[in-house]
Amino acid sequence: VSKKEVIKEKVLQVRQIGAIKSDIFKFIKQYKPEIQAEHICLYQNVIWHILRDTKPKIKEPNMQELKSIVAVLDEAKHCYYDTGHQNLIYYYPSSQEDKMLNYVAVDLNYELKKFKTSNFVVSVGKIPFVNFKTTLKKRDKKGEKIFLRVK
């Protein structure tokens, strides 16, 4: 595939960008013992949404952007396990808006043809910083906490 060609087939757009840290993986294993893969994958177009709020003119991420993603996940100040969706959610400050907090939701044990079983970035977004603590205090119908702090 040439660098200027747009990749149409989704499986070819997948990039492996890092791994879940060992202490986080051990924590998740308590609640989701069937988890197998430690690495994290995503579609290449998601990389830009994690690093910045605007879309770039180029179609393919460069090596610096790929390395930066690993740093974002490794250095995220807050990491929570969502017991309702069984996702891992990383929260980190927005580089462009002080009043917003970015998040990356990782679906655990996602099936991919390219890497077999993996952990896959399913959502990237922002929430107002003032809503962060309220979101984390949510409880299920049994009164149990939905978001468990991992880091």
Side-chain angles (χ1 to χ4, degrees), residues 83-100:
T83 58
H85 295 102
Q86 296 186 341
N87 287 349
L88 191 59
I89 304 174
Y90 293 89
Y91 291 96
Y92 58 99
S94 172
S95 60
Q96 296 175 341
E97 296 180 52
D98 289 342
K99 295 179 181 180
M100 299 298 278

Side-chain angles (χ1 to χ4, degrees), residues 97-136:
E97 296 180 52
D98 289 342
K99 295 179 181 180
M100 299 298 278
L101 200 58
N102 294 332
Y103 69 85
V104 173
V106 178
D107 195 358
L108 305 170
N109 270 2
Y110 191 88
E111 292 291 325
L112 280 170
K113 289 180 187 176
K114 189 173 181 179
F115 298 113
K116 305 290 183 225
T117 302
S118 182
N119 302 304
F120 200 76
V121 172
V122 290
S123 180
V124 176
K126 293 182 186 194
I127 60 169
F129 190 74
V130 294
N131 294 352
F132 175 63
K133 289 187 178 179
T134 307
T135 300
L136 298 178

